[in-house]
Amino acid sequence: MNKEHLSEPRAVRWILTAIALGFVGLFLLVPLAAVFVEAFSKGLEAYAAAVTEADALSALRLTLLAAAIAVPANVVFGVAAGWAIGKFQFRGRQLLMTLIDLPFAVSPVISGLVFILLFGRQGWLGPWVLDHGIQVVFAVPGIVLATIFVSFPFVAREIIPIMEATGTEEEQAARVLGAGGLQMFVRVTLPNIKWGLMYGVILATARAMGEFGAVSVVSGHIRGVTNTLPLHVEILYNEYNAQAAFAVASLLACLALVTLVLKALVERRVRHAGAEAGRQAVEVMAWESKSGV
Amino acid sequence: MSRSVSRRVLPGFGLTMGLTVFYLSLIVLIPLATLPAKTLTMSWEAFRATITDPRVVASYRLSVTASLVAASVNAVFGFAVAWVLVRYSFPGRRIVDALIDLPFALPTAVAGIVLTTLYAPNGWLGEPLARLGIKVAFTPLGITVALIFIGLPFVVRTLQPVIEDLDPEVEEAAASLGAGRAAVLLRIVVPNLLPAWVTGFALAFARAVGEYGSVVFISGNMPMRTEISPLLIVTKLEQYDYTGATAIASVMLVLSFGLLLCINGLQSWSRRRVAY
């Protein structure tokens, strides 16, 4: 790029850089900064009051609970799917991968709607669960289900390509040398997939804690009971309590920043790992992130 | 690796495959199946009346138009951002690169309220724009702004790896044969980036059509004017009109699946044509 004829004239470079940075600044940096400015617009005390208020704390608890169920469940599924799809050839493999991606293709609102259709009063399973005294829709189980749904593909789609790229030779060698199934997985497979797994967990956690549309549809907005942090932000904002809304929103913005930093660190870690698996994982991630996660 | 060797030596295919199919069915397939099933319980007339209601048609038109405009804006500026990030060096490049994923990481409700506040008539950006006679918040333009925000990473992250993979030798060869920089870009670089570019556009568009959280605050939600399709689904649900909501959703679902298929096709096109 330092060869002059291989790059654009200096003036063009300057203008293009200015346009790109201006666009990023206007659409990404200004909104991010505004969250914090608005959050502290009435001073530290008002900020502290907003984030330690009882409803905010119960929303935080529910958000953490939903993520604490959804992410591990999706990790177990993602590793299983990675093993089955990445290490074996079978008919319908491509179809299975497309089906796993479905939650990304569906509008968040529809992701919530389907659980109402399934567990609502007139739904397929609605009468049955109500007979057993379980409230799913407009209650915590519905929120957890919607959260699992929207964060469903993240881990699987990181793991599948890595499992595929690392091949089966190492695992076969371990088997031939007498390793049991579990021992082979822990000693051979897990080290190969760990960064990809971590990457998937970071993305799934961010989505699980930040989901709004799907959770909003199934929650019923019962304050202090079925409110997650993003829903609490909405309620405060609609009550014209903008400062409190932004204070709670700033917690979520911090979460987003932590996500970005962890994501960059894991990406770099994978880039620096000299191992073949690492290099392949980088390619996989580049490919993954371009397909939009 | 042939299937027989792999199956004979590696354990756990049955277990992991069973778990995958079971969990996929439980969480995704069965819930999603309720949508066509519920739609099929409607009479054709009722279904048609719902989805051709002028208010519903206006929402489809708005959702699709605003998404197309936003994806186009992102295609242009996203290209500039991706190009600058890969080819030029400037202070803070790594930070800007990490920041590109903000719309993925920031909850959509947060994006929604902050964009509304910024572009409201008394906001940081809304006030100067209002003096120029441009209203953003609570208009279709505001919806487009929110959709630009959430769509940007799709274009940038799709283009970046492909720009990185471009082989400088080909550009060098063209230059040494006397092609000017503009000719090299237009004849060599752009055609090679085209599949990824279109893919990024399609991903941004697909995401924008279904978007709810970031739009619902800034749109103002006026029927016929600034009401997007996902919002109309929520409105119907709040009125306990489950069949109406389902009918609108099934039209959107068909659109999403169509886009998913297009995107899959585009991605295999762009993988086949990786850089030169």
Side-chain angles (χ1 to χ4, degrees):
Chain A
M1 273 18 92
N2 31 24
K3 293 181 193 160
E4 210 43 48
H5 64 279
L6 265 189
S7 190
E8 293 71 56
R10 181 182 291 264
V12 176
R13 285 208 307 264
W14 275 74
I15 293 168
L16 212 54
T17 310
I19 291 174
L21 293 184
F23 190 75
V24 169
L26 182 67
F27 276 94
L28 301 183
L29 207 54
V30 171
L32 183 62
V35 171
F36 291 97
V37 171
E38 296 288 336
F40 289 102
S41 62
K42 289 183 184 162
L44 258 175
E45 258 169 55
Y47 180 88
V51 297
T52 55
E53 181 227 355
D55 286 340
L57 290 178
S58 82
L60 175 66
R61 266 196 298 277
L62 183 56
T63 293
L64 293 176
L65 173 76
I69 297 173
V71 175
N74 286 334
V75 164
V76 171
F77 159 75
V79 173
W83 184 257
I85 297 173
K87 300 289 189 192
F88 298 89
Q89 294 293 329
F90 53 91
R91 206 191 286 260
R93 202 167 156 270
Q94 199 58 47
L95 175 72
L96 198 55
M97 280 160 74
T98 306
L99 292 178
I100 288 174
D101 272 351
L102 275 182
F104 283 161
V106 173
S107 170
V109 169
I110 297 180
S111 312
L113 169 67
V114 294
F115 288 103
I116 291 188
L117 293 180
L118 194 57
F119 292 110
R121 208 166 277 282
Q122 314 157 12
W124 288 358
L125 299 174
W128 186 84
V129 290
L130 281 178
D131 282 348
H132 288 75
I134 312 164
Q135 175 86 28
V136 177
V137 170
F138 309 138
V140 175
I143 291 176
V144 172
L145 279 173
T147 306
I148 295 179
F149 183 95
V150 295
S151 59
F152 176 85
F154 286 102
V155 177
R157 61 186 293 165
E158 294 302 324
I159 301 275
I160 294 170
I162 298 176
M163 288 273 202
E164 202 175 352
T166 49
T168 56
E169 282 88 353
E170 288 178 48
E171 276 88 358
Q172 285 182 22
R175 290 296 279 175
V176 170
L177 292 171
L182 190 66
Q183 199 180 10
M184 171 206 69
F185 178 77
V186 174
R187 296 277 193 80
V188 179
T189 312
L190 205 54
N192 277 337
I193 63 167
K194 68 178 176 201
W195 292 111
L197 185 61
M198 195 105 74
Y199 196 81
V201 167
I202 293 166
L203 298 177
T205 308
R207 182 66 195 264
M209 294 173 85
E211 177 55 25
F212 175 70
V215 170
S216 165
V217 169
V218 295
S219 95
H221 298 94
I222 306 164
R223 236 182 143 133
V225 182
T226 61
N227 245 1
T228 62
L229 278 184
L231 298 179
H232 191 57
V233 169
E234 182 198 23
I235 289 188
L236 291 172
Y237 189 81
N238 286 342
E239 286 172 349
Y240 300 100
N241 194 350
Q243 182 271 327
F246 278 105
V248 177
S250 75
L251 297 180
L252 291 165
C254 286
L255 174 77
L257 289 175
V258 170
T259 303
L260 293 185
V261 170
L262 287 177
K263 191 167 170 290
L265 286 179
V266 171
E267 266 164 15
R268 205 155 70 192
R269 178 80 206 206
V270 177
R271 247 178 253 269
H272 283 220
E276 183 59 36
R279 272 204 300 281
Q280 282 160 341
V282 172
E283 284 162 23
V284 163
M285 278 176 196
W287 192 81
E288 284 302 330
S289 64
K290 84 173 190 192
S291 38
V293 239
Chain B
M1 188 50 50
S2 86
R3 159 203 335 214
S4 52
V5 173
S6 194
R7 283 245 172 107
R8 204 166 341 118
V9 181
L10 292 184
F13 178 73
L15 176 71
T16 53
M17 188 66 188
L19 185 62
T20 302
V21 172
F22 172 73
Y23 189 74
L24 177 72
S25 309
L26 198 68
I27 297 295
V28 177
L29 300 183
I30 294 173
L32 276 182
T34 58
L35 206 59
K38 180 85 176 174
T39 310
L40 288 176
T41 64
M42 296 176 80
S43 73
W44 170 245
E45 284 76 33
F47 179 74
R48 222 188 61 146
T50 308
I51 63 165
T52 56
D53 175 43
R55 190 171 157 194
V56 177
V57 173
S59 83
Y60 289 141
R61 193 177 299 138
L62 175 65
S63 278
V64 170
T65 319
S67 302
L68 276 178
V69 173
S72 308
V73 171
N74 277 328
V76 173
F77 288 94
F79 178 84
V81 172
W83 187 262
V84 165
L85 281 176
V86 175
R87 288 290 174 104
Y88 306 160
S89 62
F90 52 90
R93 195 177 60 100
R94 282 249 287 279
I95 295 174
V96 174
D97 190 31
L99 197 64
I100 297 296
D101 286 322
L102 181 72
F104 288 154
L106 193 71
T108 52
V110 177
I113 66 167
V114 77
L115 290 173
T116 311
T117 305
L118 281 175
Y119 287 97
N122 58 355
W124 295 1
L125 300 167
E127 200 186 349
L129 285 169
R131 258 184 272 132
L132 297 172
I134 305 169
K135 276 182 67 181
V136 183
F138 319 124
T139 69
L141 184 60
I143 297 173
T144 311
V145 166
L147 296 179
I148 292 172
F149 174 84
I150 56 131
L152 178 66
F154 291 94
V155 177
V156 177
R157 293 300 188 225
T158 312
L159 278 171
Q160 250 177 330
V162 187
I163 298 176
E164 272 165 19
D165 282 348
L166 289 178
D167 184 353
E169 274 181 27
V170 180
E171 285 171 54
E172 197 158 358
S176 71
L177 291 170
R181 188 62 196 162
V184 171
L185 286 180
L186 221 65
R187 297 271 195 79
I188 294 177
V189 172
V190 169
N192 276 288
L193 294 182
L194 198 60
W197 208 352
V198 180
T199 307
F201 174 86
L203 286 167
F205 175 71
R207 170 69 200 262
V209 170
E211 178 58 18
Y212 175 69
S214 59
V215 176
V216 69
F217 298 96
I218 202 169
S219 70
N221 307 331
M222 284 164 278
M224 305 298 294
R225 280 205 57 232
T226 59
E227 194 174 50
I228 52 165
S229 305
L231 176 77
L232 206 50
I233 296 177
V234 173
T235 310
K236 298 253 180 213
L237 277 177
E238 280 168 358
Q239 298 160 350
Y240 298 101
D241 179 7
Y242 289 174
T243 39
T246 308
I248 303 170
S250 64
V251 172
M252 286 189 65
L253 204 62
V254 169
L255 179 66
S256 305
F257 284 171
L259 281 166
L260 184 69
L261 287 180
C262 288
I263 290 165
N264 278 347
L266 282 167
Q267 275 173 341
S268 62
W269 177 37
S270 90
R271 250 170 295 153
R272 272 202 309 278
R273 282 194 60 162
V274 181
Y276 300 149

